[in-house]
Amino acid sequence: MNPIYRDMPTTIFEAMSMRARETGAINLGQGFPDGPRNDLVIDAACAALQHRSNQYPPMVGLPELRAAIADWYRRHQQLELAPDEVVVTSGATEAIAAALLAIIQPGDEVLLFQPLYDAYCPLVQRAGGIARIVDFDRSCWRIDAQALADAISPRTRVLLLNDPMNPMGTTAHPDDLALLARTCVDNDLIAICDEVWEALVYDGAQHRSLLSYPGMRERTVKIGSAGKIFGLTGWKVGWMCAAPPIARVLAKAHQFLTFTTPPNLQWAVAEGLNSQDDWIAMARAQHQASRDFFCAGLRKIGLATVPSAATYFVSVDVAASGIAMEDMAFCHAMIDQAGIAAIPISAFYSDAPPTHLVRFCFAKERATLERALERLAEALPRLK
Ligand code: GLN
């Protein structure tokens, strides 16, 4: 058996969700929202299941959805993408896998930034790539130009960036994006941009893709997710967008991973992207309000929060909160003593992790967040 998989633990999200199910803990670990619900999109999926085709859709995605994705990016991010530059996938994780398999040749080096999503390193390795990991500056989660320059070699071919960033909920600084764009152009790299959180950027900020920076249009794979846009994480409908010479190759990798994505979900997502701009803005405002409520509550009970500008997540600085426990131990103690599941940030590092940060998902109903805060407040003296 392949040692990469044989020796790896089950993903931290699944592990913590399992513990939450076993113990009945409130699950603020794995990132999924419990609202708001978009009935139009869900009804459209039901109607399509009943009344439209349930056979293989086109391999690269339904034309309706590819056009809707291109239109949505035109309206929201001022990008000019043609429908044939879009390949629909079964979730963004498939898109990341397909992009890495399509682009990497054995021995190619891939620039990654940590904290990083747990799928990245194993996928790079299985595609034959060598991960070169650059640490974000832990005081501000920005890219250090020297560390970036030091990680590049003549074998570097690809850069994989998650922006907005899970787990810290930060958005890339425009100067960092400009630096990355220059780095890609100067070193002839392809950028794979995991932008699944693009619709969940708060405080009036506007998401800007690395694809829009000078020289990047022809060398970027931009990855998105309907699961995040509509809060339907179980649907696993994602996509990758790239200039035609790249998109054609991406499609070849996709065709031997999942081949197609359920057609009813594709029709529903197309309808949603075409008609639900107001709902998407409402959902964003609601998540922002949840963030504000939860962060204020955490601070009130004496926990130090790290600023979050996007995603479903906020992190607590355990050490700055006067808790002398490492993040993993604190997460287990929280499940056992407070009945709350969270995610240790060290799980997002391949080496030398910080151990003082714990991630909470705030995309929950107000009553759930209130109950979680009460439980935490009550258990906290025992956790210190
Ligand atoms: N993206 C989700 C998170 O960060 C997890 C997805 C998964 O469980 N694989 O919580």
Side-chain angles (χ1 to χ4, degrees), residues 197-218:
W197 302 102
E198 62 199 343
L200 294 170
V201 175
Y202 306 125
D203 308 311
Q206 162 83 38
H207 175 73
R208 184 164 171 203
S209 175
L210 185 59
L211 181 139
S212 70
Y213 280 70
M216 295 307 290
R217 180 67 174 82
E218 306 304 315

Side-chain angles (χ1 to χ4, degrees), residues 178-220:
L179 170 68
L180 291 177
R182 282 197 305 278
T183 304
C184 287
V185 171
D186 292 349
N187 296 279
D188 195 20
L189 312 184
I190 291 180
I192 301 174
C193 295
D194 170 357
E195 300 180 9
V196 298
W197 302 102
E198 62 199 343
L200 294 170
V201 175
Y202 306 125
D203 308 311
Q206 162 83 38
H207 175 73
R208 184 164 171 203
S209 175
L210 185 59
L211 181 139
S212 70
Y213 280 70
M216 295 307 290
R217 180 67 174 82
E218 306 304 315
R219 56 173 71 252
T220 300

Side-chain angles (χ1 to χ4, degrees), residues 39-379:
D39 283 313
L40 179 130
V41 172
I42 291 171
D43 291 348
C46 296
L49 207 50
Q50 290 285 4
H51 305 298
R52 301 180 87 156
S53 169
N54 284 292
Q55 305 309 326
Y56 298 128
M59 183 270 281
V60 286
L62 287 175
E64 291 89 338
L65 178 55
R66 299 170 82 199
I69 291 165
D71 269 0
W72 196 79
Y73 283 134
R74 185 171 302 114
R75 292 201 304 284
H76 291 277
Q77 298 180 21
Q78 296 77 50
L79 299 176
E80 290 299 327
L81 292 164
D84 69 354
E85 295 180 295
V86 180
V87 178
V88 176
T89 58
S90 291
T93 303
E94 194 227 332
I96 294 163
L100 292 170
L101 287 171
I103 295 167
I104 293 175
Q105 299 192 60
D108 285 353
E109 293 184 9
V110 179
L111 284 177
L112 302 169
F113 301 89
Q114 67 181 4
L116 41 65
Y117 192 54
D118 62 353
Y120 290 1
C121 279
L123 289 174
V124 166
Q125 270 182 292
R126 282 306 277 143
I130 297 163
R132 291 278 174 251
I133 301 178
V134 179
D135 266 42
F136 283 110
D137 181 329
R138 294 178 190 182
S139 65
C140 54
W141 309 105
R142 289 197 51 187
I143 291 169
D144 177 66
Q146 193 56 52
L148 178 67
D150 292 346
I152 292 174
S153 89
R155 311 206 60 164
T156 313
R157 294 280 177 275
V158 178
L159 171 158
L160 171 50
L161 179 73
N162 176 216
D163 177 41
M165 191 250 278
N166 176 10
M168 298 314 298
T170 48
T171 56
H173 192 284
D175 293 349
D176 288 359
L177 289 172
L179 170 68
L180 291 177
R182 282 197 305 278
T183 304
C184 287
V185 171
D186 292 349
N187 296 279
D188 195 20
L189 312 184
I190 291 180
I192 301 174
C193 295
D194 170 357
E195 300 180 9
V196 298
W197 302 102
E198 62 199 343
L200 294 170
V201 175
Y202 306 125
D203 308 311
Q206 162 83 38
H207 175 73
R208 184 164 171 203
S209 175
L210 185 59
L211 181 139
S212 70
Y213 280 70
M216 295 307 290
R217 180 67 174 82
E218 306 304 315
R219 56 173 71 252
T220 300
V221 179
K222 174 176 166 58
I223 291 172
S225 162
K228 300 294 191 288
I229 294 173
F230 296 109
L232 298 165
T233 60
W235 277 27
K236 304 297 290 179
V237 177
W239 51 80
M240 40 193 176
C241 308
I246 300 179
R248 273 195 291 276
V249 186
L250 298 178
K252 305 281 174 60
H254 161 69
Q255 72 179 346
F256 292 139
L257 283 172
T258 59
F259 181 50
T260 59
T261 297
N264 67 314
L265 302 181
Q266 293 197 50
W267 270 304
V269 170
E271 278 197 49
L273 291 175
N274 287 335
S275 69
Q276 298 300 294
D277 283 358
D278 289 348
W279 184 92
I280 294 167
M282 179 279 290
R284 180 188 306 118
Q286 196 164 312
H287 291 312
Q288 179 178 317
S290 296
R291 175 201 63 176
D292 293 343
F293 174 80
F294 191 58
C295 289
L298 289 170
R299 286 194 292 269
K300 208 164 139 205
I301 62 176
L303 293 171
T305 57
V306 182
S308 160
T311 73
Y312 296 147
F313 309 119
V314 62
S315 286
V316 160
D317 185 328
V318 177
S321 308
I323 297 163
M325 244 187 271
E326 295 207 335
D327 59 351
M328 187 66 93
F330 183 64
C331 283
H332 286 296
M334 259 196 311
I335 293 194
D336 294 332
Q337 311 225 16
I340 294 174
I343 302 284
I345 295 291
S346 58
F348 294 82
Y349 280 78
S350 72
D351 62 327
T355 54
H356 64 292
L357 297 167
V358 167
R359 190 195 83 173
F360 291 86
C361 174
F362 55 69
K364 305 294 174 193
E365 280 173 7
R366 197 53 58 93
T368 306
L369 295 177
E370 271 167 6
R371 206 148 37 87
L373 287 166
E374 277 164 24
R375 287 192 188 182
L376 257 180
E378 191 273 324

